[in-house]
């Protein structure tokens, strides 16, 4: 459960290099080579960050960035633009369309990795690389350990992914269908009621010993992590 990076790059030499080096850094890397695929992959895999090439066939990276920002499902995913264009005006245009950072080709992998960590820290302050915290809850995505108030919590893999989904966007209400897509995957048929069962298990494990329930049930809508709890 490492950090998921979506690389959108049509030049194979560069995308292979990125994939190899980012994997070596412990990231999970998915590569697509055009904008439509990028939008689809961003929606489906909910990456932690997107590296987006400016010059893509069909639709430009900057337009993809705009579309990512226009959709609820992808608007909060941080984007670093990769580009050969070093001009100030282009840089500004990138930020205007919602890019979080900008790396000019050719770049060093060291610099890119540092930028990725910096953007993740800025956009999601709870994410210290692989550890996500929310209030007194901490989850380590590498070791899959979860603690609450420094006590270890035992979670099954489904409950872990459920908590991971909720904790990444506190306050956001997820419908059962959205949770099914994100936690179980889009190609698997599971009844919506199954979500309730696993949320129940997650609550039981998290709230052991009578701790305050941080999960909100939103009637007829779904579930959210109570954002006031994390403060
Ligand atoms: Ca390109």
């Amino acid at each position: 459960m490492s950090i998921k990076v979506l690389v959108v790059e049509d030049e194979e030499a560069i995308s292979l290099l990125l994939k190899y080096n980012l994997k070596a850094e412990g990231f999970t890397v998915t590569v697509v080579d055009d904008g439509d695929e990028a939008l689809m992959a961003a929606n489906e895999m909910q990456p932690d960050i997107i590296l987006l090439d400016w010059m893509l066939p069909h639709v430009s990276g900057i337009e993809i960035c705009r579309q990512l920002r226009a959709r609820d499902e992808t608007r909060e995913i941080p984007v670093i633009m990769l580009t050969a264009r070093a001009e100030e005006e282009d840089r500004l245009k990138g930020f205007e369309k919602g890019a979080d950072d900008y790396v000019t080709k050719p770049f060093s992998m060291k610099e890119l990795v540092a930028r990725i960590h910096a953007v993740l820290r800025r956009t999601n302050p709870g994410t210290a690389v692989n550890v996500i915290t929310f209030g007194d809850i901490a989850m380590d995505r590498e070791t899959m350990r979860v603690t609450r108030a420094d006590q270890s919590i035992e979670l099954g893999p489904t409950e872990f992914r459920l908590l991971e989904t909720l904790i990444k966007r506190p306050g956001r209400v997820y419908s059962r269908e959205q949770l099914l897509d994100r936690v179980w995957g889009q190609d698997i048929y599971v009844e919506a009621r199954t979500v309730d069962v696993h949320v129940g298990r997650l609550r039981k494990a998290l709230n052991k010993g009578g701790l305050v329930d941080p999960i909100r049930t939103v009637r007829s809508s779904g579930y959210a992590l109570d954002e006031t709890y994390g403060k």
Side-chain angles (χ1 to χ4, degrees):
M1 292 260 175
S2 59
I3 290 175
K4 292 185 281 184
V5 183
L6 174 62
V7 173
V8 188
E9 170 64 77
D10 60 314
E11 281 157 80
E12 211 183 353
I14 298 177
S15 64
L16 283 174
L17 191 76
L18 284 170
K19 192 167 185 172
Y20 177 83
N21 283 286
L22 293 174
K23 271 189 167 171
E25 289 289 328
F27 297 110
T28 300
V29 186
T30 302
V31 175
V32 296
D33 61 8
D34 79 26
D36 288 338
E37 274 184 75
L39 290 171
M40 226 161 18
N43 194 15
E44 273 172 26
M45 68 178 271
Q46 293 284 308
D48 296 290
I49 191 162
I50 301 174
L51 305 182
L52 179 58
D53 182 30
W54 185 303
M55 300 292 278
L56 290 167
H58 317 302
V59 188
S60 75
I62 200 82
E63 172 57 19
I64 297 304
C65 187
R66 194 191 63 74
Q67 291 189 33
L68 286 167
R69 287 294 175 259
R71 298 178 184 193
D72 280 348
E73 297 295 299
T74 53
R75 108 176 35 220
E76 288 166 73
I77 304 171
V79 173
I80 298 180
M81 299 285 308
L82 308 177
T83 179
R85 308 162 73 141
E87 267 126 60
E88 189 69 11
E89 207 172 296
D90 288 336
R91 193 180 286 255
L92 290 175
K93 211 160 111 195
F95 288 127
E96 232 169 63
K97 298 291 179 209
D100 294 280
D101 204 353
Y102 195 107
V103 175
T104 307
K105 292 177 187 172
F107 47 79
S108 77
M109 280 312 299
K110 228 177 175 173
E111 183 196 353
L112 180 64
V113 169
R115 296 281 188 107
I116 291 174
H117 286 306
V119 167
L120 286 174
R121 272 196 301 274
R122 204 169 66 221
T123 53
N124 193 351
T127 320
V129 193
N130 279 316
V131 180
I132 311 179
T133 60
F134 176 74
D136 57 0
I137 302 167
M139 57 191 317
D140 187 323
R141 298 199 285 174
E142 205 163 67
T143 60
M144 290 191 70
R145 285 224 177 89
V146 179
T147 57
R148 181 160 186 198
D150 297 322
Q151 299 292 310
S152 179
I153 306 269
E154 295 297 323
L155 293 183
T158 304
E159 286 72 37
F160 188 93
R161 286 197 298 274
L162 202 50
L163 179 61
E164 187 190 15
T165 302
L166 296 172
I167 212 168
K168 276 161 85 178
R169 310 259 191 278
R172 181 185 160 164
V173 180
Y174 288 93
S175 69
R176 289 172 179 78
E177 288 70 26
Q178 286 170 330
L179 289 171
L180 283 174
D181 282 351
R182 284 172 173 71
V183 175
W184 281 262
Q186 291 198 314
D187 304 322
I188 293 169
Y189 180 76
V190 186
E191 274 185 75
R193 213 188 61 84
T194 308
V195 175
D196 302 335
V197 172
H198 286 275
V199 169
R201 282 187 199 157
L202 175 60
R203 276 187 163 133
K204 198 172 162 202
L206 272 183
N207 308 340
K208 207 168 59 184
L211 293 171
V212 177
D213 186 3
I215 301 172
R216 221 154 50 87
T217 303
V218 184
R219 207 166 283 278
S220 77
S221 298
Y223 297 100
L225 212 55
D226 188 350
E227 72 268 41
T228 56
Y229 181 76
K231 292 190 177 132

